[in-house]
Amino acid sequence: MRQCIIYDSGEPGARLIGIEYMISRRLYEGLPQEERRFWHSHQYEVSSGQLAALGVPLAAANLDASKLVDTYGKTFHTWQVDLGHPLPYGENATCSSVGYA
């Protein structure tokens, strides 16, 4: 399992907006059916270039991406910066990826 932190940008002062747990297809397939709805495939995120490893040399990032294409993620969003809130208001949310099908 991998644990990732999600920022709203790669710039200095970026805000921490979530965390994501990543697991293999094997672990995903072992989850109870009702739990699977909270997880999303990384196939689209990897193929579209949406996943980024900031500060990692390109060759290493590409190698890492090839390992992630067959993984699944569960994301907890802690701050909805797109709503313009100056602080992380409201409840935490479990969210899916843009490419989730």
Side-chain angles (χ1 to χ4, degrees):
M1 181 180 71
R2 290 183 182 207
Q3 301 172 78
C4 301
I5 52 177
I6 303 169
Y7 291 94
D8 65 339
S9 77
E11 302 300 317
R15 296 168 288 189
L16 174 65
I17 62 170
I19 57 171
E20 182 171 13
Y21 297 98
M22 296 180 178
I23 61 174
S24 67
R25 175 181 298 277
R26 181 184 59 78
L27 289 175
Y28 172 79
E29 290 174 349
L31 293 173
Q33 200 63 37
E34 62 274 10
E35 173 64 21
R36 288 186 191 186
R37 67 187 179 102
F38 298 112
W39 295 79
H40 61 275
S41 167
H42 285 129
Q43 288 181 353
Y44 175 78
E45 292 177 11
V46 171
S47 65
S48 70
Q50 187 178 13
L51 281 178
L54 302 177
V56 176
L58 183 59
N62 287 341
L63 179 60
D64 195 47
S66 70
K67 294 177 184 176
L68 293 176
V69 74
D70 204 31
T71 63
Y72 288 78
K74 183 175 187 178
T75 306
F76 295 89
H77 287 246
T78 59
W79 190 344
Q80 292 181 293
V81 295
D82 57 325
L83 297 179
H85 296 153
L87 297 170
Y89 293 167
E91 295 182 22
N92 297 335
T94 305
C95 299
S96 296
S97 166
V98 173
Y100 180 68

